[in-house]
Amino acid sequence: MIRTVILGTGAAVPKKVLTNQDLESMVETSDEWIATRTGIKSRYIAEDGETTSTLAAEAARRALEMAGVKPEEVDMIVLGTTSPDMIMPNTGALVQKHLGAVNASAFDIYAACSGFVYALTIADKFVKESPEKKILAIGSELLSSITDWQDRNTCVLFGDAAGAVLVSGSTDGDRGILSTHLYSDGCLWELLYIPGGGCIYPPSAEMAEKRDYCIRMHGNEVYKHAVRSLTDVAWEAIRTNNLKPEDVDLFIPHQANIRIMKKVAERLEIQEDRVYMNIERYGNTSSASIPVALDEANRSGRLKQGDLVLLDAFGGGFTWGAVMIRW
Ligand code: ACO
């Protein structure tokens, strides 16, 4: 049986670190409030020259290096983002340029924090059709560019980062992606959205002054939906593969809030030592959070061949989804 396997992983972050103490001098908040409510202590924030596409290209380069694959051998780039370099061209095309991946098609997936899980699912479908294809699935964000730095409800949460995987087909037993599960509910869009910048409310001086190009969120409501949807779709992935929660060796949820991750793990009855959590150092990096965590787990030797890895995402839209992988 042909399965989609991960040949390499990579991640990249900006140089600058913004701590909770730094934020204390920007808005009325405290390290104590942020750490207890979210689990975040610091996050990376981009400076001049660092963009969604440059971070994505760096993460992709590292994944290609690990796989021993040259940029010109890449057939496709699928990039999840909510903070593209520009509206046009798509950020995937800019990554193709930066990498010199001259033979690759490239496009973006717009599914907020679920962007990487959506991108990986699409890559999996293309690989199943043409197992020789080598596809980069990427999640990359410069959330700092769409964060309202005067809104303490949101500005303490987000960070910038990119993560990438290179996938291709393999007949190596049961290894690879076992199943993918995607969902959305557009009826709930008003709980987490960016009001301005699109065709309904185009860019204007007024929009800029009100900072309406930034993320608006009803945190409490998002929290409840995130816990429910992350739990439901993870259960679906476990049951579809005739597994039990205790079979999962590493659970990698979207790093939105440490309390959400712990609650979901508790409902799934997955012990905390099998839940990957790095939100303390990155904050919520939206579509980048899962591939960054996957790369850390991979490079630190946390993953062994044959391990069951469950990816679980939730974000604006709402969108959510899960991917079960035999490493
Ligand atoms: N510092 C200090 N006080 C604050 C801060 C802050 N940074 N932010 C809010 N507060 C205050 C509020 O004003 C409120 O004060 P009040 O009681 O006087 O009105 C109080 O703290 C409690 O606020 P809540 O919003 O109820 O706090 P909560 O415990 O819900 O935590 C949080 C807020 C962290 C946002 C939480 O709701 C959460 O994590 N929600 C989910 C976020 C998420 O999962 N997003 C998903 C994806 S994001 C994406 O797609 C880009």
Side-chain angles (χ1 to χ4, degrees), residues 251-282:
F251 177 48
I252 307 185
H254 168 46
Q255 311 283 309
N257 183 317
I258 201 159
R259 291 185 293 145
I260 294 177
M261 291 188 271
K262 287 186 175 179
K263 183 60 86 187
V264 172
E266 185 191 308
R267 291 197 177 172
L268 293 171
E269 294 174 21
I270 295 179
Q271 281 160 10
E272 244 177 64
D273 61 351
R274 286 183 285 133
V275 184
Y276 201 88
M277 291 186 273
N278 62 9
I279 190 170
E280 187 179 338
R281 287 172 286 127
Y282 296 93

Side-chain angles (χ1 to χ4, degrees), residues 29 33 37 113 152-153 192 219-220 222 256-257 259-260 284 316:
T29 191
W33 192 97
R37 298 284 178 128
C113 303
R152 70 174 183 171
N153 289 294
L192 177 55
N220 277 318
V222 176
N257 183 317
R259 291 185 293 145
I260 294 177
N284 177 349

Side-chain angles (χ1 to χ4, degrees), residues 103-307:
N103 296 307
S105 58
F107 56 96
D108 290 2
I109 297 296
Y110 213 45
C113 303
S114 311
F116 175 74
V117 160
Y118 269 66
L120 186 57
T121 299
I122 290 164
D124 177 46
K125 304 300 171 206
F126 273 101
V127 166
K128 291 240 173 73
E129 200 182 84
S130 313
E132 73 288 354
K133 282 207 187 312
K134 292 186 174 50
I135 303 182
L136 279 166
I138 305 174
S140 184
E141 303 285 1
L142 235 74
L143 292 185
S144 60
S145 67
I146 50 170
T147 294
D148 182 345
W149 291 101
Q150 296 181 31
D151 175 17
R152 70 174 183 171
N153 289 294
T154 52
C155 76
V156 301
L157 304 175
F158 303 124
D160 300 336
V165 299
L166 182 76
V167 298
S168 194
S170 165
T171 49
D172 178 12
D174 275 345
R175 280 187 63 223
I177 293 179
L178 304 184
S179 67
T180 60
H181 311 261
L182 299 182
Y183 289 96
S184 63
D185 185 353
C187 295
L188 298 168
W189 69 271
E190 279 176 288
L191 297 178
L192 177 55
Y193 69 112
I194 298 173
C199 65
I200 292 178
Y201 182 8
S204 65
E206 185 204 349
M207 186 197 85
E209 199 187 326
K210 291 168 140 176
R211 297 180 300 286
D212 277 341
Y213 55 87
C214 296
I215 299 168
R216 306 288 180 223
M217 179 169 74
H218 297 275
N220 277 318
E221 286 301 312
V222 176
Y223 188 102
K224 281 185 254 169
H225 285 283
V227 170
R228 191 177 313 136
S229 301
L230 286 164
T231 306
D232 288 351
V233 76
W235 266 125
E236 183 182 307
I238 290 167
R239 290 197 180 116
T240 299
N241 293 289
N242 296 316
L243 298 165
K244 296 191 207 66
E246 58 266 34
D247 296 324
V248 175
D249 296 291
L250 193 62
F251 177 48
I252 307 185
H254 168 46
Q255 311 283 309
N257 183 317
I258 201 159
R259 291 185 293 145
I260 294 177
M261 291 188 271
K262 287 186 175 179
K263 183 60 86 187
V264 172
E266 185 191 308
R267 291 197 177 172
L268 293 171
E269 294 174 21
I270 295 179
Q271 281 160 10
E272 244 177 64
D273 61 351
R274 286 183 285 133
V275 184
Y276 201 88
M277 291 186 273
N278 62 9
I279 190 170
E280 187 179 338
R281 287 172 286 127
Y282 296 93
N284 177 349
T285 59
S286 190
S287 69
S289 89
I290 290 177
V292 167
L294 187 63
D295 181 58
E296 271 192 2
N298 189 22
R299 285 178 194 263
S300 65
R302 179 105 183 245
L303 291 171
K304 299 184 300 296
Q305 193 165 326
D307 275 358

